Each structure stands twice: as structure tokens, then as C-alpha cells.
Amino acid sequence: MNLARTRWVYFSIALIILFGRPDQAAGQTATTRPARSWTNPLTEALIRDKATSLLRQMTLEEKVAQLSQLPGTDDDEFKENVQQSMDEVLRQFGAGSILWISDPKEINRLQHVAVEQSRLHIPVLFGLDVIHGYHTIFPAPIAMASSWDTEMVEAAQAVAAQESRAVGIQWTFAPMVDIARDARWGRMVEGAGEDPYLGAAMARAQVLGFQGQQLGAPDRVLACAKHFAGYGAADGGRDYDSSYIPEEQMWNTYLPPFKAAVDAGAGSLMSAYMDLNDVPASGNPWLLHDVLRDAWKFQGFVVSDAFAVRSLRIHGYARDPQDAAHKAFTAGLNMDMASGTYLKYLPIELQQKRISMQQIDDAVLPILETKFRMGLFEHPYVDESRREQTLNDPAHQEIARKTVQRSVVLLRNQGGLLPLDKAGKTIHSIAVIGPLGDAQADLLSMWGALTKPGPTISILQGIQAKVGSTVRVAFAHGPNLRRDIPSPFEGIELTAMMKEQPAQTAQETHQSIADAVTLARQSDVAILVLGEIDLMSGEYASRSSLKLSNGQEDLLEAVSAAGKPVVLVLVNGRPLDISWAAEHVPAILEAWYPGSQGGNGIADILFGDANPSGHLPVSWPRSTGQLPLYYNHNLTQNPETSPDFKSRYWDLLSSPLYPFGYGLSYTTFAFDNLKVSPTARTGGTIEVSADVTNTGGRAGDAVVQLYIHQRAGSASRPVRQLKGFERVALEPGAKRTVHFTLGKGELQFWSPTEKKWVVEPEQFDIWLGGDSTAALHAEFRLTE
Ligand code: BGC
């Protein structure tokens, strides 16, 4: 096959993965998706034999080295624990893994030391946070979740895996599958939002994208589902703060995406930083042993979050560093990320007979098995010559652009302002305004800016490329964006791309707004691009208020007063308080952090070359005071469904500004003909079908969503719960029947009174439509 043909075949496969085959019509429900098991050219038994026999030859120090991930950057405490250079450690003992090195030459050099110069020649796993792309940066995870398109997400993460492998990274610390119900929490951007069902679907898709059908598939990486578990429930949305989560919420809400990742074959998990119900997650036997190993039969290994083992002392859980090593290790944590605590203290623990050699062997075995499964013993090195070609593959950019088109969420479009005319007939001049209007690194979000991103198209550039010379496009920056309290990530070498915008005096801010208003007055339409720079969302990026910061609200209101049509494009990692805009700005587009092709993808949407189809994976609050906010809460006294209900607050409606699952299109859809099998035994399945019709004038994708409610039972049940969804592409006037099956996976819940999973013989409501307020209703009953 010549190169052009190879490329075309690859591209076609990618597009099929991306859009699915036309005959793929069945809706997604958990029960229709079987769990995966690890398979490999070497059978599991053979892998076990190889790992066991290698283990038998290992000294204690060599074993403990496999339980350790060495920091790729300088860390004083690590140096204090381990008074040797990385090369010396590798040569003498080897290492389980090395963190944060992504130069293929350096990876090969270090691997050479481990493989050629250490006694047992055990290769090292190189790990990095490739969260939504390595060189081609895809939209941030919350954006990809907004696509409700699992095939697309799988395809994007497959590209991320391929690019990672091309530089020698074999392990990514992704997917992040933490449920987040509080938009103050900075890391909402890294996950799939508030819903366990959508979260589980996205977890599964990402694991399959990263790992492929089996660990060891070519051009794929080892996935690591994180942060196990409950990190998203941090008190007050403050990053790293404690979480208090009752057991029923753990099972029903926070754990399902992890379970889905494990069922999809995720080879590793990362334990979280925070205390869960007063027991730090990284030393929590209930999580790491009872849930993960006992209940779920997880066969892979668990790595701590960075330095989380040594932090057990800070929590007031461990007495000293040795006790920290003891508590993490005996809880079931296999690998210590970067702190060197295991390296120094596990040998002492053994000497003092506080742990046994059998326990050490049990912890090492899954790490060795993973390395065998991944074929690292046969192929430890990266072929440096493939790097350029893989990273610069134009097909990757094409997939990234489609991913943007399918991820952005149209929140408002009064009077059909969008799409804009690009031919210069009605619009001759456009003002692009705002501190994110010409941003590049800030479109990538934190982790995207931390790997080795290629060029990024800003929104201004995307618009200019779209309209060419037919329309005049001018730019006004407006006020600069800065955090009030700087991020610790700013200024460190790896994160050099992430920068605050320079400080301004009040006078300068005022002037920047005045300049923007002048430009708006001279233009036919103003496109305001507002939100958060990358340092404002992500780790260490929680906020106490969701308001548009740094004078952006003033800018928005002043430009709106200029009397020209205004389109607001939001670049951010979480819902923001846009209550004023929701009443006064005719068109609002949520772009999230759209990645390398952000500018092009958003211009495609703004000018109608693509039809928006994203739907919110989180409930969008009216104000910060509503947080935490989520749609799948319980029905209680004076429920919001009763006719005289107004609000649970006296100063604001308690409903969201935009509900979970919400998103507009340039066309419209109608849902009808809902058919549901009226009854089934508790062990059986309920069949559901309904018609969706494109009732507007443009082709577009509907996201059909199915919600259920159990009316009574051994515990109160949420007012609605998502239990199925499907993206359906429809030409104008076209109709499609979608089918869903509700089985045990959808109908069961963990009952706090029964203390177990139950499917109960009760009456259920079912709704189907385009968001979580869907009106099309039916009922069914489960019988004994
Ligand atoms: C983050 C993890 C990340 C790790 C390694 C930690 O600070 O919480 O999500 O994987 O660093 O980069």
C-alpha cells in the first residue's frame, strides 16, 4: 500500500469510529455493553507465570523499586528519602515508573539504563497526564462529554494514545472520572460532569480509546481512572478539601464511572488526595480493598496521586512517614507516586515485621503483569523516527475540528441570530472582543497546555479564516484576566505556556472597555469571547464565585449597550454566572476549552458550516449560592413538581438557569410515539422506543435522552435519572425510531436500608426527550 492510500484507509477508519456506521441505531444503555477482559497474544496464565518467576528472582529492594514511581522533576523530599540520582536507582534496582518525562531521547536513555544496566532488565513505565491530547489537543473532557458521543470520544483518545506512544509515553493518568456537582471546584473541567450514567459511558469510551480492545494493543497506552474516589465532592468546592459522602451516594453516584472504567479493562487506578469520610483515599482500605479488589475483582494496580502517600501525615492519619507508607501499603495502594516514601520505608517495615514479603509480592505482581501485558519486555524503546510524522498527521487535526463542532453547546439563540452570514451580504464587519478572543494556550486548558501541544487556532484566527476578505474583522482585547491569588503552576518549567495576563490599573481596564465599545459601534456584529484563562480552571483552580471576573461583566454590558447584535462565546471549564447575559444577550455559545482546532471548530458553528449539537453534562446554576446543584436529587416535601411550587429560596429561583442535558440546535426536533413494555419481572428487561423527527430546516444531530423515576421502594429515589441516550443525525424532515433496553444495570440501585444492590417491584415513570426536563412520558411496572 502506498503512503497516500495508507493515510486514506486510516482516515476512513477514524471517521467511521468518529461518526459510526449508518446502521448503528441502538441506543446506549449499560446492559447492552459487555465488560471487557484482558487478553493478549500471551494468555493470562502465561503472563502470570512469567511475572511470578521474575518475582522469585527479585531482591526486596528491586521489588520495592517496582512499587515506586520516580519523579521526573526535582523534589526535595524525594531527594531526602532517596539519596541517589535517578540513574543510580534505575541501575541498581530498576523502577516501576517515571513521571512527567516526555522527551523520547531521554525516555530511551533512561529505559536503556533500566533494561540494559539493571540486574533483571525490567522496563520502566513512563507516565504523563495526557488528558485530552498530547500534541493535537482535543476539547477538554467536560466539552467532550457535552458531545454525548462515545464513539467520537473513543476516537479522540485513540489519537491521544497514538501521539503519546510516538514520544515514548506508555501510561496516561486519565480518564478523570470524578463526578462533580459543584462548579466552584476547579477540576470539574477534567471530568464528564454531574451524572453517573453519562460519566460511566464517558469513562468506558475513554478507556477503550486509550487502551484499545486489549492492553498491549499497538499505539495505545495504559489508562488510569482517577481520582479514586469522591474527589469531586470536596467541601465547598475547595480543591483537596475533605469529602463526606454517605455509602449510598458512593455506590449510586460517585463509584459507577470507576466501575465502568474497570469493566472496560482499565489497567490502573489513581487514588485521590482528599479524606473520604475521615479516611484519606490514598490509605483507605474500604476503597482500595473492599470495593476495588473484593467487590469488583480488579486485577490491575493502584498508584497514589502525586506525593499523596507522604501527605497521609499531613492529614493527621499517619504518625510519621513510615506509618504513612504502612497505612497506604496495607490499605492496598501498589505504587507510590513521586514521594519516595515506599522506597525508604517499606524495607524497614519488612525488617520490623510490620508487613510480610507475601504482601509485597502481592503488590508487585500486578505491576509486572501489566508490563508483560503491554509487551514492554519485548518493545521497551520508542522509535524516535516516527515522532514527527505521527504528531503532525493532518488527520488528527481533522478529528480535533469535528470534535469541537460536536462539543460546543448553544445555550441561547434569540431571533435566530446564529448562524451568521459569512458571505458579506448582511454582515460587512465583525468585532471580535474579549480577553480570550485571540487566545491560543488558553484554549487548551491546563493539561492541554502541559504536554507538547502543536499550533492552536485562536477564535479570532478561525473567524478570519472563515470569512476571508469578504468581511472586515477587527479585534479589541478588553480587560486582562488574572487570578486574584496566583496559581502554583504558574512559572514552573513544564507549565510555561500557562500565563496570567499582565496586571492593569483601573484606568487601563476602563480604557480597554471603552475601546471595545468603540469597535462594536463601528461593526455590524460583536462576538464577545469571555470566560477563564487556563489557570482559572483545573487543579488548584477552585473559585468562590462564578461571576465573570476581571471586569468582563462590565465589558459585556457596555458592548451590549452599543446597540449591535451580540454573540457571547464562553471559554471556560465550568458553568459561570451568566444570568444577565441569559436575558440580554441574544446568542450564547458554550465553547469550553476547545483545544488546538478551537478557532476553526467554533467558526464552523458560528457561520453555520456545522450545526451545534452539544448538550450540558452539568446543571447550569443561576448563581454561585445554588451550589452544589444537580438534577438527579430526591423528591422531598413540597416538591418542585407540585403545581404551587415556586422556589426553595425566597430571593432566587432554585431551578437551574439551563437544565442538565440542555442544548439548542439550528434546527428543531420533535419526540413522540413513546412505547414502553408495560411490565417485566424484576430480573427482566423493559423495551423502550420512540420517534425523533427533525422538524426544522437544517440537518442536525439530536441527543435523545431517556430518564426514569422509581415511585416507591426501600429508599427515596431521585426525581429523574438518566438511563439511556443516543445521538441521532437527521436530515430536515427525517424521522428515526430509537430503541433502548432497560435491564438490571439501569433499574438497580444500592439501597441504604437493605445495604445491597436491589431491583424493586415498583411502578416507574419514564421520560424521553432532548434534556432532563423532557415531557414525553410513560410508565411501567416491575413485578416480583
Ligand atoms: C494531580 C493528578 C495528576 C498528578 C500527576 C496531581 O497533582 O492531582 O491528577 O495525575 O498530579 O501529574
Side-chain angles (χ1 to χ4, degrees), residues 579-590:
S579 314
W580 186 88
E583 277 186 36
H584 299 95
V585 176
I588 307 176
L589 194 65
E590 174 53 78

Side-chain angles (χ1 to χ4, degrees), residues 22-45:
D23 59 351
Q24 285 176 340
Q28 292 180 21
T29 50
T31 44
T32 58
R33 300 258 170 167
R36 276 171 206 257
S37 61
W38 287 316
T39 46
N40 193 278
L42 295 166
T43 65
E44 281 298 306

Side-chain angles (χ1 to χ4, degrees), residues 454 458 505 587 610 664 719-720:
S458 77
T505 62
L664 300 173
V719 58
R720 287 187 184 202

Side-chain angles (χ1 to χ4, degrees), residues 69 99-100 128-129 131 173-174 176 187 190 226-227 231 239-240 270 273 304-307 337 446-447 450 489 539:
Q69 182 177 56
L99 176 67
W100 270 24
L128 184 76
D129 295 276
I131 309 294
F173 305 120
M176 193 280 223
R187 304 195 76 169
E190 295 175 51
K226 70 184 188 186
H227 306 81
Y231 189 22
D239 202 9
Y240 310 136
M270 183 187 291
Y273 278 130
S304 72
D305 203 334
F307 309 104
M337 183 185 277
M446 185 186 143
W447 293 115
L450 179 135
F489 289 114
E539 188 170 351

Side-chain angles (χ1 to χ4, degrees), residues 297-531:
K297 313 288 175 225
F298 176 64
Q299 301 288 315
F301 70 92
V302 183
V303 64
S304 72
D305 203 334
F307 309 104
V309 174
R310 84 173 177 215
S311 293
L312 295 185
R313 202 160 47 126
I314 301 171
H315 289 245
Y317 183 57
R319 217 170 294 126
D320 51 38
Q322 183 178 336
D323 195 30
H326 180 85
K327 289 208 156 100
F329 179 77
T330 53
L333 186 105
N334 305 73
M335 192 183 280
D336 166 13
M337 183 185 277
S339 82
T341 313
Y342 274 13
L343 268 178
K344 180 162 176 185
Y345 294 104
L346 285 188
I348 303 175
E349 282 278 294
L350 185 77
Q351 213 176 33
Q352 296 177 349
K353 300 198 167 26
R354 286 167 50 83
I355 58 172
S356 68
M357 190 59 104
Q358 186 58 52
Q359 283 175 295
I360 294 202
D361 287 354
D362 290 347
V364 177
L365 196 65
I367 297 171
L368 295 178
E369 285 176 348
T370 304
K371 292 182 177 183
F372 278 112
R373 275 187 201 107
M374 293 184 66
L376 292 188
F377 286 87
E378 293 87 6
H379 304 289
Y381 300 111
V382 52
D383 175 358
E384 292 170 42
S385 67
R386 286 181 53 211
R387 181 180 179 278
E388 286 307 304
Q389 197 198 349
T390 307
L391 299 193
N392 297 316
D393 188 334
H396 295 183
Q397 296 300 324
E398 200 45 45
I399 296 172
R401 185 167 180 162
K402 296 274 180 213
T403 311
V404 181
Q405 293 170 356
R406 295 164 87 84
S407 298
V408 298
V409 186
L410 181 63
L411 297 175
R412 193 164 198 249
N413 196 16
Q414 284 299 103
L417 175 59
L418 292 179
L420 300 172
D421 157 40
K422 65 177 173 191
K425 287 190 191 123
T426 54
I427 295 176
H428 307 285
S429 56
I430 296 175
V432 177
I433 294 172
L436 291 157
D438 198 22
Q440 293 180 323
D442 285 310
L443 297 192
L444 304 178
S445 106
M446 185 186 143
W447 293 115
L450 179 135
T451 57
K452 292 277 185 323
T456 303
I457 314 290
S458 77
I459 292 175
L460 175 66
Q461 289 169 334
I463 291 171
Q464 281 166 332
K466 180 67 70 184
V467 298
S469 55
T470 45
V471 178
R472 181 173 62 80
V473 180
F475 175 62
H477 186 281
N480 286 351
L481 296 188
R482 297 177 66 74
R483 293 167 50 129
D484 299 333
I485 298 166
S487 164
F489 289 114
E490 201 190 5
I492 63 173
E493 196 195 325
L494 263 166
T495 58
M497 282 186 80
M498 295 188 245
K499 287 196 183 72
E500 305 275 1
Q501 298 179 353
Q504 283 174 319
T505 62
Q507 172 56 28
E508 284 166 337
T509 304
H510 188 76
Q511 188 56 48
S512 73
I513 294 176
D515 294 345
V517 171
T518 307
L519 179 64
R521 285 209 185 100
Q522 295 159 356
S523 311
D524 294 332
V525 60
I527 300 175
L528 273 131
V529 189
L530 307 180

Side-chain angles (χ1 to χ4, degrees), residues 516-518 520-521 557-566:
V517 171
T518 307
R521 285 209 185 100
E557 294 184 21
V559 169
S560 298
K564 298 296 170 71
V566 172

